[in-house]
Amino acid sequence: MRPALLLPVLLLTLACSSKLERGKAEDLIRKDYPVVIPVTVPEKASATKGSPEHLRLGALKENLDKSGWFDATVLTEGDRESFTFRLKADAPKMIKAAPKGFSVPAAEATFVRAVRMEPTREGARVTYEIRLEKPTAQFPLFQALHPDAKVGQTKQRHATFERRRGSWELTGTDEAFRKAE
């Protein structure tokens, strides 16, 4: 190639790659999926009778009693009830210890597609969709705590990208859950 043509080709290549492309953004985000959607079971919790928190704990106890994996006890102290959840020895290994309780997998969320891309001063912001899929046997427990959740439902999340050393890097998302270990 002649040197006179090399400079314009190089400049055109650099100009084309300066904008984050949808496919590149989707590939970078897709690496973090699927994520596990857990239900957190507290070791101990108390609430005033009739409060929204008391109703949530009651639904949690009712659903955990059906699973047979936890011993759940309730102690009444005036207008409050204290709930204690203990994991049984024969419970499945998928139930993990979590800070102040246990984490029970309820479903997975998978990446669907990028919906909108906006340039920012530092790089780009991408709005994308995830879909709730692969419910486990404990999904009814998740639904008892989140009545609006349905398998196949999509939700929007956001990701930020920055251009570093000539390439685009995913610098963060607002996804609250992480991949299974």
Side-chain angles (χ1 to χ4, degrees):
M1 190 178 264
R2 291 187 296 170
L5 288 175
L6 187 59
L7 187 59
V9 170
L10 182 61
L11 290 174
L12 182 60
T13 304
L14 290 174
C16 290
S17 65
S18 66
K19 183 179 175 191
L20 178 62
E21 306 217 356
R22 183 178 302 273
K24 177 73 172 169
E26 288 180 343
D27 288 345
L28 291 170
I29 295 168
R30 191 175 280 116
K31 290 178 186 176
D32 290 338
Y33 286 88
V35 295
V36 175
I37 309 295
V39 173
T40 302
V41 178
E43 230 175 315
K44 291 183 178 188
S46 69
T48 306
K49 290 179 186 176
S51 69
E53 179 63 15
H54 183 265
L55 295 174
R56 189 183 84 72
L57 288 168
L60 186 62
K61 181 190 178 312
E62 182 181 318
N63 282 280
L64 289 174
D65 286 345
K66 291 176 189 174
S67 76
W69 298 337
F70 286 86
D71 283 322
T73 57
V74 181
L75 295 173
T76 303
E77 302 160 358
D79 67 338
R80 294 187 71 79
E81 286 190 333
S82 296
F83 294 78
T84 305
F85 301 100
R86 288 195 181 83
L87 190 62
K88 291 183 177 179
D90 61 342
K93 300 294 180 219
M94 67 177 180
I95 301 173
K96 307 266 189 229
K100 300 180 183 179
F102 309 94
S103 179
V104 181
E108 282 186 358
T110 58
F111 176 80
V112 178
R113 66 187 171 103
V115 178
R116 185 173 54 247
M117 298 177 54
E118 306 165 36
T120 64
R121 205 160 119 198
E122 298 82 25
R125 177 178 160 98
V126 177
T127 302
Y128 64 98
E129 288 181 342
I130 60 169
R131 179 178 293 124
L132 190 60
E133 295 180 347
K134 297 183 184 175
T136 67
Q138 296 307 305
F139 189 71
L141 174 60
F142 182 77
Q143 278 191 308
L145 302 175
H146 306 280
D148 297 339
K150 296 187 183 10
V151 174
Q153 176 182 32
T154 60
K155 296 256 184 198
Q156 288 192 351
R157 297 285 190 265
H158 302 91
T160 54
F161 290 86
E162 287 184 12
R163 188 153 174 81
R164 294 186 182 153
R165 289 185 232 117
S167 65
W168 287 98
E169 289 185 24
L170 176 63
T171 56
T173 68
D174 59 0
E175 177 62 69
F177 304 111
R178 298 288 164 238
K179 281 186 113 163
E181 297 157 4

